Amino acid sequence: MADAPREGKLGRCPNFIQLIDMASESVGGQILFATDDFFAPAENLIKSDSPRFKEHEYTEFGKWMDGWETRRKRMPGHDWCVIKLGIQGVIRGFDVDISYFTGDYAPRISIQAAHLEGDQAAQMPQRGERTGTAATPQELAAVAELKSNDWDYLVPMTELEPGKPASGHNYFLVNSQQRWTHIRLNIFPDGGIARLRVYGIGQKDWTATDPKEPLDLVAIAVGGTCVGFSNAHFGHPNKMIGVGPPKSVADGWETARRLDRPPILENDENGVLLLSGCEWAVFRLAHPGVITQIEIDTKYFKGNSPDSCKLDGCVLTTQEEEDMIRRKWELPGHKWKPLLPVTKLSASESHTFDSLTLELQDVITHARLTISPDGGIGRLRLRGFPSSICLLRPREKPIMRFSVKAGFRSNL
């Protein structure tokens, strides 16, 4: 039985939109079923780009719309669709976007969710081109096997608010610690939705991990997340730990220019600028572990990459993390272990470094990336081995055993 999530409708832009959209087609999200796709197919719901409007564009079925739009219902029931998440994990919130659906948006919605194992997920027929169609008897029979009527409600039936024509966001906060794999979006009774964003943090089954293969322990797709930063004027640090390579300069962490830069810049004998100011971001790893390789990618940051960076790690319990968040991460210096010393960076280039903590007893739970003086980074990858697996790997010499402090939880 699911834990009882606390639903909440938000009127302003919430923090959870800085997390990853787990339903997006860009991370493998997939529409499995829709009752009707007459004016526009449900696949538009999970497009990664923002909805568009073409004033004079029409199809043979009616006005071209960038979203999912069903026909005006003239029979009992309501419309709904099923989405398989590209990233399985904990859902923090939804954005039901009805931008440009000014006279035909769905007036009410609800959202259900399920965690289906491989054998529970029925094989759905391929959807193909859907515009102008409704669900076939074969599709209805296949989706019935999912028993989606019985899935847990994360958002109860709620009226949507239209907002502005080009900005019709309806945000819903979710408070649930469960791992979800599938979503059912219900619209009452019919109409259009431009986009459905399912924001959250991925969760990985660590028992199925290959002990010989290093993993990116900070990736948001497996549960890594940013828990603090000094500046995110142009882009949130969570973008650095996103899926795949960076797509543009907008797909990364970028700070404002520091105003305390000296009037004339100088560098040291290693070519690193002599500066007192810096910016930083702290990440909680998806799982306590040992970092063996660090990748810092400044691709697309051609005139705004940092001059240099360094990386440190530490071990914190859940309570210690909460204390540090309240104290703006004023953590005593001795708590941090150096993973990468101050290192010069190049513009628009992928950099790979060996971690200083190649001895496998150096387990960390959090990492702090510091850049100097400011600028942007597209991707941060921290590859290594989860702590429970580190003990199983062969070693050339004996090492000290370690333990993670009591009270640590890999995912809040």
Side-chain angles (χ1 to χ4, degrees):
M1 186 70 181
D3 56 341
R6 183 178 69 248
E7 304 90 6
K9 188 172 182 180
L10 305 177
R12 60 182 179 83
C13 195
N15 290 332
F16 64 65
I17 67 169
Q18 304 297 345
L19 301 175
I20 196 166
D21 178 6
M22 302 193 299
S24 172
E25 62 179 5
S26 65
V27 299
Q30 183 182 0
I31 301 293
L32 297 184
F33 171 85
T35 53
D36 190 272
D37 299 91
F38 190 83
F39 290 111
E43 277 73 11
N44 290 336
L45 286 171
I46 58 175
K47 285 183 177 178
S48 56
D49 58 351
S50 298
R52 298 172 296 153
F53 183 71
K54 298 180 180 180
E55 184 176 359
H56 303 294
E57 186 83 11
Y58 290 84
T59 73
E60 62 178 301
F61 304 104
K63 182 74 181 71
W64 181 91
M65 293 299 292
D66 191 7
W68 175 41
E69 186 180 359
T70 68
R71 72 189 80 201
R72 301 188 187 213
K73 208 160 188 64
R74 300 295 184 256
M75 62 180 67
H78 67 89
D79 288 315
W80 51 280
C81 68
V82 173
I83 302 170
K84 180 182 179 182
L85 299 180
I87 294 175
Q88 303 174 7
V90 177
I91 296 172
R92 295 294 189 222
F94 297 101
D95 176 11
V96 181
D97 184 357
I98 53 175
S99 296
Y100 302 115
F101 283 90
T102 56
D104 43 15
Y105 67 89
R108 304 168 198 84
I109 62 97
S110 69
I111 302 176
Q112 297 167 262
H115 179 203
L116 303 181
E117 302 294 346
D119 56 350
Q120 292 179 284
Q123 289 295 319
M124 299 297 299
Q126 292 292 320
R127 280 175 51 80
E129 176 58 42
R130 300 299 304 187
T131 306
T133 68
T136 65
Q138 179 190 13
E139 290 169 333
L140 289 167
V143 78
E145 296 295 319
L146 297 180
K147 300 179 180 179
S148 61
N149 279 329
D150 300 328
W151 291 0
D152 294 283
Y153 279 88
L154 299 186
V155 179
M157 186 188 295
T158 306
E159 290 189 5
L160 297 179
E161 298 176 2
K164 298 178 181 179
S167 182
H169 300 281
N170 287 257
Y171 297 113
F172 299 91
L173 179 67
V174 175
N175 185 14
S176 169
Q177 300 302 320
Q178 291 214 205
R179 183 172 180 244
W180 306 106
T181 62
H182 292 70
I183 292 294
R184 170 168 160 161
L185 171 64
N186 303 297
I187 60 175
F188 301 99
D190 53 37
I193 304 287
R195 297 287 188 273
L196 175 66
R197 308 295 191 197
V198 182
Y199 292 107
I201 300 173
Q203 272 195 351
K204 184 176 179 62
D205 180 6
W206 296 99
T207 62
T209 300
D210 184 347
K212 298 179 182 179
E213 290 297 323
L215 300 170
D216 181 5
L217 297 180
V218 78
I220 202 168
V222 298
T225 189
C226 176
V227 291
F229 57 86
S230 60
N231 188 287
H233 190 83
F234 295 108
H236 196 280
N238 269 332
K239 293 183 178 181
M240 277 195 297
I241 57 175
V243 176
K247 303 174 184 64
S248 71
V249 72
D251 190 21
W253 174 41
E254 185 178 1
T255 74
R257 299 190 194 214
R258 290 190 64 89
L259 299 180
D260 59 0
R261 304 186 312 281
I264 298 175
L265 303 179
E266 299 179 0
N267 57 15
D268 63 14
E269 64 276 9
N270 298 316
V272 176
L273 289 179
L274 295 170
L275 300 161
S276 58
C278 63
E279 306 291 357
W280 52 266
V282 177
F283 299 88
R284 184 199 316 129
L285 303 188
H287 193 288
V290 174
I291 303 303
T292 58
Q293 188 184 75
I294 300 158
E295 180 184 349
I296 297 173
D297 192 347
T298 59
K299 187 176 182 180
Y300 299 114
F301 290 94
K302 300 177 181 179
N304 49 356
S305 62
D307 175 68
S308 62
C309 74
K310 67 174 183 174
L311 188 76
D312 302 286
C314 69
V315 174
L316 294 177
T317 66
T318 299
Q319 185 59 54
E320 287 174 327
E321 180 192 283
E322 293 172 354
D323 292 342
M324 287 303 101
I325 291 173
R326 284 192 294 269
R327 293 166 52 186
K328 307 297 183 184
W329 286 97
E330 294 179 358
L331 188 66
H334 70 274
K335 280 273 192 179
W336 293 107
K337 303 175 183 179
L339 303 180
L340 180 70
V342 174
T343 302
K344 185 81 172 178
L345 295 177
S346 300
S348 196
E349 184 176 315
S350 178
H351 310 73
T352 302
F353 309 101
D354 288 333
S355 170
L356 293 177
T357 58
L358 293 179
E359 291 295 333
L360 294 184
Q361 69 267 32
D362 292 330
V363 173
I364 65 169
T365 61
H366 293 69
R368 179 182 65 186
L369 176 66
T370 304
I371 60 173
S372 179
D374 48 42
I377 291 177
R379 287 292 184 269
L380 171 67
R381 305 297 189 201
L382 303 180
R383 297 185 179 90
F385 299 90
S387 57
S388 57
I389 293 174
C390 294
L391 292 173
L392 302 178
R393 302 188 75 242
R395 293 174 174 76
E396 296 179 359
K397 57 183 179 179
I399 65 167
M400 295 171 57
R401 292 186 63 85
F402 60 83
S403 61
V404 176
K405 295 182 181 180
F408 177 81
R409 291 179 297 173
S410 61
N411 281 300
L412 289 179

CSV table of all heavy atoms in Angstrom, one decimal, residues 25-49:
chain,number,residue,atom,x,y,z
A,25,GLU,N,10.5,12.7,-23.2
A,25,GLU,CA,10.9,11.8,-24.3
A,25,GLU,C,12.5,11.8,-24.4
A,25,GLU,O,13.1,10.9,-24.8
A,25,GLU,CB,10.4,12.3,-25.6
A,25,GLU,CG,10.8,13.7,-26.1
A,25,GLU,CD,10.3,14.1,-27.4
A,25,GLU,OE1,9.4,13.3,-28.0
A,25,GLU,OE2,10.6,15.2,-27.9
A,26,SER,N,13.1,12.9,-23.9
A,26,SER,CA,14.6,13.0,-24.0
A,26,SER,C,15.3,12.0,-23.0
A,26,SER,O,16.5,11.8,-23.2
A,26,SER,CB,15.0,14.4,-23.7
A,26,SER,OG,14.7,14.8,-22.4
A,27,VAL,N,14.6,11.5,-22.0
A,27,VAL,CA,15.2,10.5,-21.1
A,27,VAL,C,14.5,9.2,-21.2
A,27,VAL,O,14.7,8.3,-20.4
A,27,VAL,CB,15.1,11.0,-19.6
A,27,VAL,CG1,15.9,12.3,-19.5
A,27,VAL,CG2,13.6,11.2,-19.2
A,28,GLY,N,13.7,9.0,-22.3
A,28,GLY,CA,13.1,7.7,-22.6
A,28,GLY,C,11.7,7.5,-22.2
A,28,GLY,O,11.1,6.4,-22.2
A,29,GLY,N,11.0,8.6,-21.8
A,29,GLY,CA,9.6,8.6,-21.5
A,29,GLY,C,8.8,8.1,-22.7
A,29,GLY,O,9.1,8.4,-23.8
A,30,GLN,N,7.6,7.5,-22.4
A,30,GLN,CA,6.9,6.9,-23.5
A,30,GLN,C,5.4,6.9,-23.2
A,30,GLN,O,5.0,6.5,-22.1
A,30,GLN,CB,7.4,5.4,-23.7
A,30,GLN,CG,6.7,4.7,-24.9
A,30,GLN,CD,7.2,3.3,-25.0
A,30,GLN,OE1,8.0,2.8,-24.2
A,30,GLN,NE2,6.7,2.5,-26.0
A,31,ILE,N,4.6,7.3,-24.2
A,31,ILE,CA,3.1,7.1,-24.1
A,31,ILE,C,2.8,5.7,-24.4
A,31,ILE,O,3.1,5.2,-25.5
A,31,ILE,CB,2.4,8.1,-25.1
A,31,ILE,CG1,2.8,9.6,-24.8
A,31,ILE,CG2,0.9,7.9,-25.0
A,31,ILE,CD1,2.3,10.1,-23.4
A,32,LEU,N,2.1,5.0,-23.5
A,32,LEU,CA,1.7,3.6,-23.8
A,32,LEU,C,0.3,3.5,-24.3
A,32,LEU,O,0.0,2.6,-25.1
A,32,LEU,CB,1.8,2.8,-22.5
A,32,LEU,CG,3.2,2.7,-21.8
A,32,LEU,CD1,3.1,1.7,-20.6
A,32,LEU,CD2,4.2,2.1,-22.9
A,33,PHE,N,-0.6,4.5,-23.9
A,33,PHE,CA,-2.0,4.4,-24.2
A,33,PHE,C,-2.6,5.8,-24.1
A,33,PHE,O,-2.3,6.6,-23.2
A,33,PHE,CB,-2.7,3.4,-23.3
A,33,PHE,CG,-4.2,3.4,-23.4
A,33,PHE,CD1,-4.8,2.6,-24.4
A,33,PHE,CD2,-5.0,4.1,-22.6
A,33,PHE,CE1,-6.2,2.6,-24.5
A,33,PHE,CE2,-6.4,4.1,-22.7
A,33,PHE,CZ,-7.0,3.4,-23.7
A,34,ALA,N,-3.6,6.0,-24.9
A,34,ALA,CA,-4.5,7.2,-24.8
A,34,ALA,C,-5.9,6.8,-25.3
A,34,ALA,O,-6.0,6.1,-26.3
A,34,ALA,CB,-4.0,8.4,-25.5
A,35,THR,N,-6.9,7.3,-24.6
A,35,THR,CA,-8.3,6.9,-25.1
A,35,THR,C,-8.6,7.6,-26.4
A,35,THR,O,-9.4,7.0,-27.2
A,35,THR,CB,-9.3,7.4,-24.0
A,35,THR,OG1,-9.1,8.8,-23.7
A,35,THR,CG2,-9.2,6.6,-22.8
A,36,ASP,N,-8.0,8.8,-26.7
A,36,ASP,CA,-8.3,9.5,-27.9
A,36,ASP,C,-7.2,10.5,-28.2
A,36,ASP,O,-6.6,11.0,-27.3
A,36,ASP,CB,-9.6,10.3,-27.7
A,36,ASP,CG,-10.2,10.9,-28.9
A,36,ASP,OD1,-9.8,12.0,-29.3
A,36,ASP,OD2,-11.0,10.3,-29.6
A,37,ASP,N,-6.9,10.6,-29.5
A,37,ASP,CA,-5.8,11.5,-30.0
A,37,ASP,C,-6.4,12.3,-31.2
A,37,ASP,O,-5.6,12.6,-32.1
A,37,ASP,CB,-4.6,10.7,-30.4
A,37,ASP,CG,-4.0,9.9,-29.3
A,37,ASP,OD1,-4.4,8.7,-29.2
A,37,ASP,OD2,-3.1,10.4,-28.6
A,38,PHE,N,-7.6,12.6,-31.2
A,38,PHE,CA,-8.2,13.1,-32.4
A,38,PHE,C,-7.6,14.4,-33.0
A,38,PHE,O,-7.2,14.4,-34.1
A,38,PHE,CB,-9.7,13.4,-32.2
A,38,PHE,CG,-10.5,13.6,-33.5
A,38,PHE,CD1,-10.9,12.6,-34.3
A,38,PHE,CD2,-10.7,14.9,-34.0
A,38,PHE,CE1,-11.6,12.8,-35.5
A,38,PHE,CE2,-11.3,15.2,-35.2
A,38,PHE,CZ,-11.8,14.1,-35.9
A,39,PHE,N,-7.4,15.4,-32.2
A,39,PHE,CA,-6.9,16.7,-32.7
A,39,PHE,C,-5.4,16.7,-32.6
A,39,PHE,O,-4.7,17.3,-33.4
A,39,PHE,CB,-7.5,17.9,-31.9
A,39,PHE,CG,-8.9,18.1,-32.2
A,39,PHE,CD1,-9.9,17.9,-31.3
A,39,PHE,CD2,-9.3,18.5,-33.5
A,39,PHE,CE1,-11.3,18.1,-31.6
A,39,PHE,CE2,-10.7,18.8,-33.8
A,39,PHE,CZ,-11.6,18.5,-32.8
A,40,ALA,N,-4.8,16.1,-31.6
A,40,ALA,CA,-3.3,16.1,-31.4
A,40,ALA,C,-2.9,14.9,-30.5
A,40,ALA,O,-3.6,14.7,-29.5
A,40,ALA,CB,-2.9,17.4,-30.8
A,41,PRO,N,-1.9,14.2,-30.8
A,41,PRO,CA,-1.5,13.0,-30.1
A,41,PRO,C,-0.9,13.2,-28.7
A,41,PRO,O,-0.3,14.3,-28.5
A,41,PRO,CB,-0.5,12.3,-31.0
A,41,PRO,CG,0.1,13.4,-31.8
A,41,PRO,CD,-1.0,14.5,-32.0
A,42,ALA,N,-1.1,12.3,-27.8
A,42,ALA,CA,-0.6,12.4,-26.5
A,42,ALA,C,0.9,12.4,-26.4
A,42,ALA,O,1.5,12.9,-25.4
A,42,ALA,CB,-1.1,11.2,-25.6
A,43,GLU,N,1.6,12.0,-27.5
A,43,GLU,CA,3.1,12.1,-27.5
A,43,GLU,C,3.6,13.5,-27.3
A,43,GLU,O,4.7,13.7,-26.8
A,43,GLU,CB,3.6,11.5,-28.8
A,43,GLU,CG,3.8,10.0,-28.8
A,43,GLU,CD,2.5,9.2,-28.9
A,43,GLU,OE1,1.4,9.9,-29.2
A,43,GLU,OE2,2.5,8.0,-28.7
A,44,ASN,N,2.8,14.5,-27.7
A,44,ASN,CA,3.2,15.9,-27.5
A,44,ASN,C,3.4,16.2,-26.0
A,44,ASN,O,4.1,17.2,-25.7
A,44,ASN,CB,2.2,16.8,-28.1
A,44,ASN,CG,2.2,16.8,-29.7
A,44,ASN,OD1,3.2,16.4,-30.2
A,44,ASN,ND2,1.1,17.1,-30.3
A,45,LEU,N,2.7,15.5,-25.1
A,45,LEU,CA,2.7,15.8,-23.7
A,45,LEU,C,4.2,15.8,-23.2
A,45,LEU,O,4.5,16.5,-22.2
A,45,LEU,CB,1.9,14.8,-22.9
A,45,LEU,CG,0.4,15.0,-22.9
A,45,LEU,CD1,-0.3,13.8,-22.3
A,45,LEU,CD2,-0.1,16.3,-22.3
A,46,ILE,N,5.0,14.9,-23.7
A,46,ILE,CA,6.3,14.6,-23.1
A,46,ILE,C,7.4,15.1,-24.0
A,46,ILE,O,8.6,14.7,-23.8
A,46,ILE,CB,6.5,13.1,-22.9
A,46,ILE,CG1,6.3,12.3,-24.2
A,46,ILE,CG2,5.5,12.6,-21.8
A,46,ILE,CD1,6.6,10.8,-24.0
A,47,LYS,N,7.1,16.0,-24.9
A,47,LYS,CA,8.2,16.7,-25.7
A,47,LYS,C,9.1,17.5,-24.7
A,47,LYS,O,8.6,18.1,-23.7
A,47,LYS,CB,7.6,17.6,-26.7
A,47,LYS,CG,7.0,16.9,-28.0
A,47,LYS,CD,6.5,18.0,-28.9
A,47,LYS,CE,6.0,17.4,-30.2
A,47,LYS,NZ,5.5,18.4,-31.2
A,48,SER,N,10.3,17.6,-25.0
A,48,SER,CA,11.3,18.3,-24.1
A,48,SER,C,11.2,19.8,-24.3
A,48,SER,O,11.6,20.5,-23.4
A,48,SER,CB,12.7,17.7,-24.3
A,48,SER,OG,13.1,17.9,-25.7
A,49,ASP,N,10.8,20.2,-25.5
A,49,ASP,CA,10.8,21.7,-25.7
A,49,ASP,C,9.4,22.3,-25.2
A,49,ASP,O,8.5,21.6,-24.9
A,49,ASP,CB,11.0,22.0,-27.2
A,49,ASP,CG,10.0,21.3,-28.1
A,49,ASP,OD1,9.2,20.5,-27.6
A,49,ASP,OD2,9.9,21.6,-29.3
